[in-house]
Amino acid sequence: MKLVYVFDAYCGWSHGFSRTLLDVAARHPDVPVEVVSGGLFTGARRVPIREFGYVRGANAKISELTGAEFGPAYDRLIADGSFVMDSDAAARGMAALRGAAPGRAAELAAALQRAFYVDGLSLSDPATYRKVAGGAGLDGDAVAAAFTAPAARAAAEGDFRRAARLGVDAFPTLVAEAGGRTVAVARGHATADEVDRRLAALGM
């Protein structure tokens, strides 16, 4: 069996799902977790964050349901309103981190979201990837360089296509693949216990 986690680093519900993802990965250490960026804020959706008037209310709900933290630095971005979330850049960064430590993709995805939602760092800035990589014990300079390389852009585009092939259009979605079957076992919000029950019911 393999788990495929389709998320967007700029998605608050994905941030809220980070704890569940890490718990599921810890409970099933022999099950590989593939992390795929979905591309929530691309094209015409790359606009100042003030255009998304639902953000504050959604964050409050996410925090209530999941306990996810939204830090003061992030709150200042929301208050200012001019910040533009660019999922293309975030997907390139996730690809750079994933390339540095493929077996730690779930952990790195959670760390990347923390960099934005707690530390208020831009996921379009190479320095953010240097910091996230360094915090994970990786070569920060190498990851920052990979973020700007053509291979990262190709990997990000590949992620968007992979998400589309899986039929995922809402984030986060956790998919289980086994025996030729592909089944979504979580969408939006779920606990690790709920994911385990769904996997068991599917015989996975």
Side-chain angles (χ1 to χ4, degrees), residues 27-114:
R27 291 181 183 190
H28 304 278
D30 296 329
V31 176
V33 180
E34 176 187 358
V35 174
V36 175
S37 295
L40 182 58
F41 298 105
T42 59
R45 286 180 60 80
R46 283 183 289 197
V47 296
I49 202 167
R50 70 171 65 93
E51 300 294 324
F52 302 101
Y54 58 83
V55 168
R56 284 189 184 275
N59 290 347
K61 186 67 172 178
I62 293 163
S63 184
E64 176 188 345
L65 283 175
T66 71
E69 178 185 358
F70 294 87
Y74 166 76
D75 287 340
R76 288 193 289 273
L77 286 182
I78 298 296
D80 174 76
S82 63
F83 183 80
V84 176
M85 296 180 290
D86 182 351
S87 293
D88 285 310
R92 295 199 309 272
M94 185 64 232
L97 288 164
R98 189 175 60 206
R104 298 170 63 190
E107 168 199 340
L108 293 168
L112 184 58
Q113 294 215 271
R114 187 171 181 82

Side-chain angles (χ1 to χ4, degrees), residues 172-187:
T173 295
L174 184 64
V175 173
E177 292 186 339
R181 290 189 298 166
T182 300
V183 182
V185 293
R187 288 189 179 92

Side-chain angles (χ1 to χ4, degrees), residues 44 144 169:
D169 57 7

Side-chain angles (χ1 to χ4, degrees), residues 1-6 17 21 31-34 162-163 166-168 170 172-178 181-187 195 199 202 204:
M1 180 177 74
K2 177 172 76 170
L3 294 174
V4 184
Y5 179 57
V6 187
F17 196 82
L21 177 67
V31 176
V33 180
E34 176 187 358
R162 174 93 162 108
L166 288 167
V168 173
T173 295
L174 184 64
V175 173
E177 292 186 339
R181 290 189 298 166
T182 300
V183 182
V185 293
R187 288 189 179 92
V195 171
L199 290 172
L202 293 166
M204 291 181 165

